[in-house]
Amino acid sequence: MFGVDTSELLIVAIIALLFIGPKDLPGAMRAVGQWVGKVRGMARHFTIGIENMMREAELEEMDRKWREENERIMREFPGSPDFPDASLPDDGQVMLPLEPPADVPPTKRPLP
C-alpha cells in the first residue's frame, strides 16, 4: 500500500521492540492498529463522498441531456392547437370509462 517491503517492516518491528520494550509493545501495536483503522475509515468516507459527487454529476448531466432531447422533440413535432391531447382532460388526469356506453346494444358490446 505504501511501498513498504517486508524487510523494511521487519527492521521497524525490531527497532520498536528495542525502544518500546516487550512489556509495552502490545499496547503500542493496539494504538497503532486503532490509528490505522481510523485513517482507513476516513479514507473510505472520503472515497464514498467523491463517488457520490461523481454519481450526482452524472445524473445531472443525464437529466440535462434528457431535457435537451425532449425540447428538440417538442420543437420538431409540435402539438396541433386544434387537437390537444384528447386522452387527457383539463386537469391532466387520464380518465378511463368504467361502464360501457349505454347506446350500444348488449349483443354488440365486446366481451371483456
Side-chain angles (χ1 to χ4, degrees), residues 17-38:
L17 182 62
L18 291 175
F19 282 108
I20 297 173
K23 180 179 165 187
D24 297 328
L25 189 60
M29 295 303 289
R30 187 177 306 113
V32 168
Q34 289 174 349
W35 182 77
V36 168
K38 287 180 182 179

Side-chain angles (χ1 to χ4, degrees), residues 47-61:
T47 303
I48 289 172
I50 295 294
E51 289 174 355
N52 285 340
M53 287 191 309
M54 290 173 50
R55 190 175 302 119
E56 287 175 7
E58 289 174 358
L59 287 174
E60 288 174 1
E61 178 69 19

Side-chain angles (χ1 to χ4, degrees), residues 5-80:
D5 198 15
T6 54
S7 60
E8 295 170 352
L9 191 60
L10 182 63
I11 292 172
V12 170
I14 291 173
I15 292 173
L17 182 62
L18 291 175
F19 282 108
I20 297 173
K23 180 179 165 187
D24 297 328
L25 189 60
M29 295 303 289
R30 187 177 306 113
V32 168
Q34 289 174 349
W35 182 77
V36 168
K38 287 180 182 179
V39 169
R40 284 185 178 177
M42 287 189 285
R44 188 178 322 113
H45 182 70
F46 178 76
T47 303
I48 289 172
I50 295 294
E51 289 174 355
N52 285 340
M53 287 191 309
M54 290 173 50
R55 190 175 302 119
E56 287 175 7
E58 289 174 358
L59 287 174
E60 288 174 1
E61 178 69 19
M62 288 172 54
D63 187 45
R64 184 187 59 79
K65 286 181 180 179
W66 179 83
R67 289 182 191 279
E68 288 174 357
E69 184 67 16
N70 191 29
E71 289 173 3
R72 183 191 65 80
I73 291 171
M74 295 305 282
R75 280 191 311 269
E76 191 173 328
F77 303 103
S80 173

Side-chain angles (χ1 to χ4, degrees), residues 75-94:
R75 280 191 311 269
E76 191 173 328
F77 303 103
S80 173
D82 296 333
F83 299 105
D85 193 357
S87 65
L88 296 176
D90 293 336
D91 61 356
Q93 294 181 351
V94 178

